[in-house]
Amino acid sequence: MDSLGIFKVSASGLQAQRTRMNLIASNMANAHTTRTENGGPYRRKEAIFSSEPVEAAAGEGLEGVKVSDVVEDQTPPQMTYDPGHPDADKDGYVAYPNVSVIEEMANMMMASRAYEANVAAFNISKTMIMKSFEIGR
């Protein structure tokens, strides 16, 4: 058994959660962006996770996680009446991004907890391996 497989599984989880947290931070930073390079308001982005076999542990059944895709949320933008805004349409409505700051904060907390769980798994694995070295003395 390859003991490094444990660390690779935890590392894949850490990397995936870091990507998720970066996307959430981007969503929150652009919660009021009404104009993008593509035109229109910013669209919320979300990471899609998928499992992948861990390279060093082929044949052992260990699977890590990876971000397989980043997709834009297709929910329509929030229309707010603000006739003085430079991006208001002819009726005075402004299309704001489909980002809910409350929902993003809840997602950030879940991503943070998942990140912490991966750190804990990594540290426990490290402690177990160090203890096994002490047994051999």
Side-chain angles (χ1 to χ4, degrees), residues 3 10 12 22 33 37 52 62 92 107 111-112 115 120 123:
S3 60
S10 293
S12 71
N22 286 338
T33 301
E37 291 178 359
E52 68 175 351
L62 293 179
N107 287 337
S112 176
Y115 191 89
N123 286 333

Side-chain angles (χ1 to χ4, degrees), residues 39-107:
Y42 175 82
R43 290 201 168 269
R44 180 178 176 272
K45 293 179 177 54
E46 188 172 359
I48 305 295
F49 293 162
S50 65
S51 64
E52 68 175 351
V54 173
E55 204 171 282
E60 294 180 10
L62 293 179
E63 293 197 14
V65 63
K66 71 173 185 175
V67 176
S68 61
D69 199 8
V70 175
V71 296
E72 287 188 350
D73 187 349
Q74 296 303 315
T75 306
Q78 300 171 4
M79 301 302 289
T80 303
Y81 184 71
D82 187 4
H85 194 282
D87 291 329
D89 63 10
K90 63 179 174 27
D91 297 326
Y93 285 94
V94 178
Y96 280 98
N98 55 356
V99 175
S100 166
V101 175
I102 294 170
E103 184 180 330
E104 296 301 321
M105 285 301 297
N107 287 337

